[in-house]
């Protein structure tokens, strides 16, 4: 006899892609587009708020693996979470030289400093290279696609998902790529004015 999932497990199974998708779109609310962000709030802690919001994406991943009732999905979720946590720490460490150079956590200050002098990719080249590599790792691009194991014939934590729920995970992943690319442009390549 198989185990019949309870209502709470089914709810979590359906909620996990929604969490991943919503969290990936929440990052856009903090990033400034032109001279204001979506919320209209320019905070001195924009970068910290951004990283706090995007760190919630790991909840969707772990809930997707746990609620699938598949040991392969759980192993894929554990690999993905280990990768996300380890790279988030290095992300914040790579931000320290930038914050020290600019003197603020605000995206507007980053833009003003780059308007008045030079793009931050030149004075902070090691941080720019580390940040670029971490962007590839955070978005599961080719050399860092650890959650998708070739030894198993599964795609990781989302092995039990199909149709619209799988599309929500894919949309969240591709939105994260656009989000990280926009963040790289704001931090290192002059922001929205250049």
């Amino acid at each position: 006899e198989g185990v019949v999932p309870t209502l709470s497990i089914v709810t979590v199974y359906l909620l996990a892609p929604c969490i991943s998708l919503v969290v990936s779109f929440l990052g856009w609310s903090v990033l400034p587009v032109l001279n204001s962000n979506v919320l209209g709030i320019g905070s001195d802690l924009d970068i910290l708020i951004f990283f706090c919001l995007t760190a919630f994406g790991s909840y969707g991943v772990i809930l997707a693996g746990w609620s699938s009732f598949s040991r392969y999905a759980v192993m894929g979720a554990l690999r993905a979470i280990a990768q996300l946590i380890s790279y988030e720490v290095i992300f914040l460490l790579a931000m320290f030289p930038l914050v020290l150079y600019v003197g603020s956590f605000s995206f507007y200050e980053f833009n003003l400093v780059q308007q008045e002098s030079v793009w931050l990719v030149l004075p902070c080249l090691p941080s720019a290279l580390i940040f670029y590599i971490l962007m590839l790792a955070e978005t599961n691009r080719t050399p860092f696609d650890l959650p998708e194991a070739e030894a198993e014939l599964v795609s990781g934590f989302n092995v039990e998902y199909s149709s619209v729920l799988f599309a929500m995970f894919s949309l969240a992943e591709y939105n994260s790529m656009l989000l990280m690319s926009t963040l790289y442009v704001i931090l290192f390549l002059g922001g929205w004015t250049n």
Side-chain angles (χ1 to χ4, degrees):
E1 289 183 30
V3 176
V4 178
T6 62
L7 181 62
S8 62
I9 298 295
V10 173
T11 305
V12 170
Y13 179 81
L14 296 174
L15 194 60
C18 298
I19 291 172
S20 294
L21 187 64
V22 167
V23 166
S24 73
F25 279 108
L26 273 179
W28 291 104
S29 66
V30 180
L31 288 180
V33 180
L34 297 176
N35 286 329
S36 67
N37 57 18
V38 174
L39 299 176
I41 302 167
S43 173
D44 288 337
L45 301 174
D46 284 339
I47 294 172
L48 295 178
I49 294 169
F50 176 81
F51 280 114
C52 286
L53 286 175
T54 56
F56 283 116
S58 59
Y59 287 113
V61 171
I62 196 70
L63 290 176
W66 173 73
S67 65
S68 293
F69 285 113
S70 168
R71 63 181 63 114
Y72 296 112
V74 172
M75 287 190 303
L78 291 177
R79 279 195 305 265
I81 290 300
Q83 181 176 344
L84 285 173
I85 290 173
S86 62
Y87 293 137
E88 286 288 332
V89 172
I90 301 171
F91 250 126
L92 293 175
L93 290 176
M95 290 297 300
F96 281 138
L98 294 171
V99 171
L100 290 175
Y101 187 85
V102 172
S104 176
F105 283 102
S106 173
F107 289 127
Y108 298 108
E109 292 296 323
F110 274 81
N111 188 36
L112 290 176
V113 166
Q114 294 180 79
Q115 271 182 340
E116 294 168 0
S117 62
V118 67
W119 287 357
L120 291 179
V121 73
L122 297 175
C124 300
L125 186 60
S127 289
L129 293 175
I130 291 170
F131 202 87
Y132 180 74
I133 293 169
L134 288 172
M135 275 182 15
L136 292 176
E138 192 75 20
T139 56
N140 299 328
R141 294 301 95 202
T142 300
F144 302 102
D145 54 352
L146 182 67
E148 297 181 8
E150 285 87 10
E152 307 159 9
L153 296 177
V154 298
S155 66
F157 61 90
N158 53 7
V159 68
E160 298 292 327
Y161 286 91
S162 63
S163 185
V164 174
L165 299 177
F166 182 79
M168 290 172 81
F169 278 123
S170 296
L171 184 60
E173 183 176 343
Y174 285 105
N175 183 47
S176 296
M177 285 191 290
L178 287 173
L179 189 66
M180 289 297 171
S181 300
T182 306
L183 179 67
Y184 192 84
V185 168
I186 290 171
L187 296 178
F188 293 102
L189 300 177
W192 58 88
T193 58
N194 295 321

